[in-house]
Amino acid sequence: MKLDHIDTPAALIDIPRMQKNIARMQGHMNGLGVAFRPHVKTTKCIDVVRAQIAAGARGITVSTLKEAEAFFAAGVSDILYAVSIAPSKLPRALALRRQGCDLKLVVDNPTAAAAIAAFSDQYGESFEVWIEVDTDGHRSGITPEQDTLLEVGRILHENGVKVGGVMTHAGSSYELHTPQALAALAEQERAGCVRAAQRLRDAGIPCPAVSVGSTPTALAAGQLDGVTEVRAGVYVFFDLVMHNVGVCTLEDIALSVLATVIGHQADKGWAILDAGWMAMSRDRGTSKQAHDFGYGQPCLLNGTPLGGYVVSGANQEHGILSSSQESAHAGDITQRFPIGMKLRILPNHACATGAQFPEYHAVSANGDSVEWRRFQGW
Amino acid sequence: MKLDHIDTPAALIDIPRMQKNIARMQGHMNGLGVAFRPHVKTTKCIDVVRAQIAAGARGITVSTLKEAEAFFAAGVSDILYAVSIAPSKLPRALALRRQGCDLKLVVDNPTAAAAIAAFSDQYGESFEVWIEVDTDGHRSGITPEQDTLLEVGRILHENGVKVGGVMTHAGSSYELHTPQALAALAEQERAGCVRAAQRLRDAGIPCPAVSVGSTPTALAAGQLDGVTEVRAGVYVFFDLVMHNVGVCTLEDIALSVLATVIGHQADKGWAILDAGWMAMSRDRGTSKQAHDFGYGQPCLLNGTPLGGYVVSGANQEHGILSSSQESAHAGDITQRFPIGMKLRILPNHACATGAQFPEYHAVSANGDSVEWRRFQGW
């Protein structure tokens, strides 16, 4: 189907841009000599993940057991569930393991580690568990020097649970915007995770995998000595937040929302779109960055950004497109954006915007599109 | 299924609270002598809408054609599509009409009105169209005194398209927080819409329906002379934004997200939940209100709010629960919220949070729950 026949709002994937993003990340990882395990929480779409695996990815990262179940059903077996598991979720993890899924769990505390050990014993299942390391203080994990690290390692190892490795995510990289700061955080992430692995090994606990990553630190890393694999998710699409972090251009962003002009408030300089926050998501990730893109950056159908315009407001099914320049002539909006005109809106955050849609329309270089399903829920 | 057996995160509907909210709104409308047409964009769930109709609702309001298609398939015929239609969507509207759906369209501009007239003529279909009136300047619609109002009315009427009425939505009511201001806006909404209807009638254009509403103005309205029906959506669940507007208590909020404690950062006073922004949504509607609830208000499983605590931060699948009082002792978090503990989190905005889930778990007074499906997309 051609772009101008797709009903709006719709989530579009620009396939050439996506393939370029995949090749860029995989090429960088190949150059650094580490494996790459993409985080599929961004897309929840098997068609995208197949392209990542075809380019050289080894295994996937998931943020929910539903993702693990869906991608295992689609043929992916090497899966890291990268959220410290709630003990009540262990029966679902067990079911996946028993079907042959090479599911790796994550913990960052003794309680969950002990629960896995007891559950493994009760059901005679040999789980593999990675320990989450906190290298930037932004969320969960155990800092490399904490006693808890060895305590968790021992609870697992001494109870026959395989310690598969350590993993960390320097998510605070989203708050940076210079190559120097990103490179420094990438090194901090690497060094902290390698140090945690070394402490476990020194204590007699095997720790084969050392897994790090976020899109900005993965792209900024200059050397990854001691690291075995990198994880990243949003790089496959990029978005306006990543543009502001400085790791992509507007022309790299592969996800956009197709929208139609449905009205005007000429005296206010507004064109009304049929893409509101339900389509764009409520994510306003650029609001705290140097360039606030509102609810998104409007582009022509061919992908050319319309500088000087922004989606400045949103209701559930109404977006407000307006000039971002005070000098603009209000009357211009009506002529420049007539009713029925279709636009592509680049989103703040691809993970959040994609999640608003049950399917993507994946657009080839010649303008033809095919539907790629994505799933929702837990 | 009992609450503590539901996997997390999950969207819970407290059925007794929902029924109380439905009865309150319907009772108020009955008292004012107007029909009530609930906006189903909040729930996108036929089970909820059946309860609204059972209580006396007449017809429904939708924000997308997918809602119209889904609810018509489930047996609801009287449907107002309350967004000015993009001409490219007319074939879908036609298909619904031809299946027997009493679908009413909305326009707020001459271009769309002319497109409907031409399309009606081309396909020999008699559409019914309502004209959107702008009574508070917050979004779309034509102000009551604008010439465009009569222009749109004439384009429709003189080309044989039935003008079914006028409709307005004073969405700026979400920014208010006193009974006096809400009552004043409710009167402004009523008077503006009635005035627009009168202008059309004076020009010889029939205008049977006069439809107004938002949850806050509907509940604040003291008299609705000249109004034939009211629309409101979020009242069925309420949420923290509505609490701050002053139209419900925390104990009225019928939607919550069931979450599990999965970790701690004890020195920061954080408990980590498995409900992040993917579950709560990115909606931070209370951030500009007098009481900022972060990403949500934690409650015990029985619904009792935990004063002094808030979901202060969120990643995609991690929520950060912390004290909202500076004096709190950080170590307390680990003991008060042990790993595995389940909580219910009240959301900022029920429309946004509900949309993150493919199903609700509807919980009866005795604690049993059943699954109610909801749908996604356009």
Side-chain angles (χ1 to χ4, degrees):
Chain A
M1 193 187 283
K2 290 289 182 186
L3 263 193
D4 50 3
H5 291 106
I6 296 173
D7 203 2
T8 56
L12 304 184
I13 296 175
D14 183 313
I15 296 178
R17 291 184 183 190
M18 180 191 85
Q19 291 290 12
K20 183 183 163 203
N21 297 339
I22 291 172
R24 176 182 167 201
M25 179 66 84
Q26 188 66 52
H28 187 52
M29 294 300 113
N30 294 347
L32 291 169
V34 294
F36 182 59
R37 182 189 291 280
H39 206 317
V40 301
K41 75 183 179 71
T42 301
T43 69
K44 304 199 186 195
C45 173
I46 187 63
D47 303 277
V48 175
V49 172
R50 285 199 182 112
Q52 291 169 308
I53 291 172
R58 289 192 230 157
I60 62 170
T61 314
V62 301
S63 67
T64 65
L65 288 176
K66 185 160 184 174
E67 290 164 46
E69 290 158 354
F71 285 104
F72 178 65
V76 182
S77 183
D78 178 357
I79 300 178
L80 174 68
Y81 170 47
V83 177
S84 187
I85 193 161
S88 59
K89 294 188 169 81
L90 286 169
R92 280 175 79 180
L94 177 67
L96 275 166
R97 297 277 303 183
R98 294 226 162 136
Q99 290 170 65
C101 179
D102 181 16
L103 179 71
K104 298 144 178 77
L105 305 180
V106 164
V107 296
D108 76 346
N109 63 82
T111 306
I116 293 172
F119 189 87
S120 298
D121 192 50
Q122 185 180 353
Y123 289 94
E125 177 65 33
S126 173
F127 281 97
E128 176 175 344
V129 177
W130 295 18
I131 301 174
E132 184 175 2
V133 178
D134 177 8
T135 52
D136 70 344
H138 88 290
R139 192 173 73 192
S140 43
I142 308 167
T143 56
E145 304 299 338
Q146 259 180 291
D147 293 341
T148 316
L149 178 71
L150 301 185
E151 184 189 349
V152 168
R154 287 196 185 103
I155 290 170
L156 296 168
H157 184 60
E158 292 170 7
N159 287 285
V161 178
K162 180 181 177 184
V163 178
V166 286
M167 57 81 68
T168 191
H169 167 60
S172 64
S173 58
Y174 283 41
E175 296 157 24
L176 306 177
H177 56 90
T178 67
Q180 295 76 15
L182 290 171
L185 185 60
E187 173 54 21
Q188 177 181 322
E189 183 184 44
R190 182 204 69 81
C193 206
V194 169
R195 168 69 182 151
Q198 195 56 52
R199 285 193 71 215
L200 287 165
R201 291 169 189 152
D202 290 348
I205 301 162
C207 182
V210 179
S211 176
V212 304
S214 71
T215 286
T217 53
L219 291 169
Q223 61 92 1
L224 288 173
D225 294 351
V227 167
T228 62
E229 67 165 39
V230 169
R231 309 177 325 281
V234 77
Y235 80 96
V236 70
F237 288 159
F238 286 124
D239 53 30
L240 295 169
V241 166
M242 288 297 115
H243 167 269
N244 281 347
V245 171
V247 294
C248 72
T249 67
L250 291 182
E251 288 72 19
D252 292 327
I253 300 176
L255 182 70
S256 61
V257 173
L258 187 69
T260 303
V261 177
I262 59 167
H264 300 100
Q265 294 288 20
D267 56 341
K268 294 178 178 140
W270 293 355
I272 310 286
L273 307 177
D274 66 352
W277 59 253
M278 186 62 80
M280 299 308 303
S281 91
R282 270 293 198 195
D283 199 301
R284 288 279 292 101
T286 61
S287 65
K288 292 174 195 156
Q289 295 183 308
H291 186 155
D292 184 350
F293 284 96
Y295 281 91
Q297 170 63 55
C299 304
L300 295 176
L301 270 196
N302 68 8
T304 306
L306 291 164
Y309 293 95
V310 69
V311 181
S312 55
N315 290 112
Q316 185 158 336
E317 299 293 347
H318 297 76
I320 296 173
L321 185 158
S322 62
S323 170
S324 50
Q325 296 157 349
E326 288 184 15
S327 60
H329 180 244
D332 175 53
I333 282 276
T334 312
Q335 293 182 316
R336 176 121 198 212
F337 301 101
I339 285 169
M341 182 182 187
K342 290 191 176 181
L343 298 163
R344 292 168 76 158
I345 317 294
L346 303 178
N348 278 283
H349 188 174
C351 307
T353 301
Q356 304 298 102
F357 293 85
E359 73 281 308
Y360 303 104
H361 295 268
V363 186
S364 303
N366 68 2
D368 287 339
S369 75
V370 291
E371 201 173 294
W372 288 355
R373 301 297 299 174
R374 60 162 289 148
F375 58 89
Q376 187 198 29
W378 287 266
Chain B
M1 192 187 283
K2 289 290 181 185
L3 263 194
D4 50 2
H5 291 105
I6 297 173
D7 204 1
T8 55
L12 305 183
I13 296 174
D14 183 314
I15 296 177
R17 290 184 184 189
M18 180 192 85
Q19 291 289 13
K20 184 183 163 202
N21 297 339
I22 290 172
R24 176 183 167 198
M25 179 66 83
Q26 188 65 53
H28 186 53
M29 294 301 113
N30 294 348
L32 291 169
V34 294
F36 182 60
R37 181 188 292 279
H39 205 318
V40 301
K41 76 183 178 73
T42 301
T43 69
K44 304 198 186 195
C45 173
I46 187 63
D47 302 278
V48 175
V49 172
R50 285 200 182 110
Q52 291 169 308
I53 291 172
R58 289 191 231 158
I60 62 170
T61 314
V62 300
S63 67
T64 66
L65 287 176
K66 184 160 184 175
E67 290 164 46
E69 290 158 354
F71 285 104
F72 178 65
V76 182
S77 183
D78 178 358
I79 300 177
L80 173 68
Y81 170 47
V83 177
S84 186
I85 193 160
S88 59
K89 294 188 169 82
L90 286 169
R92 280 176 78 181
L94 177 67
L96 275 165
R97 296 276 303 185
R98 294 229 163 135
Q99 291 169 64
C101 179
D102 181 17
L103 179 71
K104 298 143 178 76
L105 305 181
V106 164
V107 295
D108 75 348
N109 62 82
T111 306
I116 294 172
F119 189 87
S120 298
D121 192 50
Q122 185 179 353
Y123 290 93
E125 177 65 32
S126 173
F127 282 97
E128 176 174 344
V129 177
W130 296 19
I131 301 174
E132 184 176 2
V133 178
D134 177 9
T135 51
D136 69 345
H138 88 291
R139 193 173 72 191
S140 45
I142 308 167
T143 55
E145 303 299 338
Q146 260 181 291
D147 293 342
T148 316
L149 178 72
L150 300 185
E151 185 188 350
V152 168
R154 286 195 186 103
I155 290 170
L156 297 167
H157 184 61
E158 292 171 6
N159 288 285
V161 179
K162 180 181 176 185
V163 178
V166 286
M167 56 81 68
T168 192
H169 166 61
S172 65
S173 59
Y174 283 41
E175 296 156 23
L176 307 178
H177 56 90
T178 67
Q180 295 76 16
L182 290 171
L185 185 60
E187 173 54 21
Q188 177 181 321
E189 184 184 44
R190 181 204 70 80
C193 205
V194 169
R195 168 67 183 153
Q198 195 55 51
R199 285 194 69 215
L200 287 165
R201 291 168 189 151
D202 289 348
I205 302 162
C207 181
V210 180
S211 175
V212 305
S214 71
T215 287
T217 52
L219 291 169
Q223 60 93 359
L224 288 173
D225 294 353
V227 167
T228 63
E229 66 164 41
V230 170
R231 309 178 324 282
V234 78
Y235 80 96
V236 70
F237 288 159
F238 286 123
D239 54 29
L240 295 169
V241 166
M242 287 297 115
H243 166 270
N244 282 347
V245 170
V247 294
C248 71
T249 67
L250 291 182
E251 288 72 18
D252 291 327
I253 300 176
L255 182 71
S256 61
V257 173
L258 187 69
T260 304
V261 177
I262 60 167
H264 300 99
Q265 294 288 18
D267 55 341
K268 294 179 178 137
W270 293 355
I272 310 286
L273 308 176
D274 66 352
W277 60 252
M278 186 62 80
M280 298 309 303
S281 91
R282 271 293 198 195
D283 199 301
R284 289 280 291 101
T286 61
S287 64
K288 292 174 197 154
Q289 295 184 308
H291 186 155
D292 184 349
F293 284 96
Y295 281 92
Q297 170 64 54
C299 303
L300 296 176
L301 271 197
N302 69 7
T304 307
L306 291 163
Y309 293 96
V310 70
V311 181
S312 55
N315 290 112
Q316 186 159 336
E317 297 294 348
H318 297 76
I320 296 174
L321 185 158
S322 62
S323 170
S324 51
Q325 296 157 349
E326 289 184 16
S327 60
H329 179 246
D332 175 52
I333 281 277
T334 311
Q335 293 184 314
R336 175 120 197 210
F337 301 101
I339 286 169
M341 182 182 186
K342 290 192 176 179
L343 298 164
R344 292 169 77 159
I345 317 294
L346 302 178
N348 277 282
H349 189 174
C351 307
T353 301
Q356 304 298 102
F357 292 85
E359 73 281 310
Y360 303 104
H361 295 268
V363 186
S364 303
N366 68 2
D368 287 340
S369 76
V370 292
E371 201 173 293
W372 287 355
R373 301 297 299 174
R374 58 163 291 147
F375 58 89
Q376 187 197 27
W378 287 267

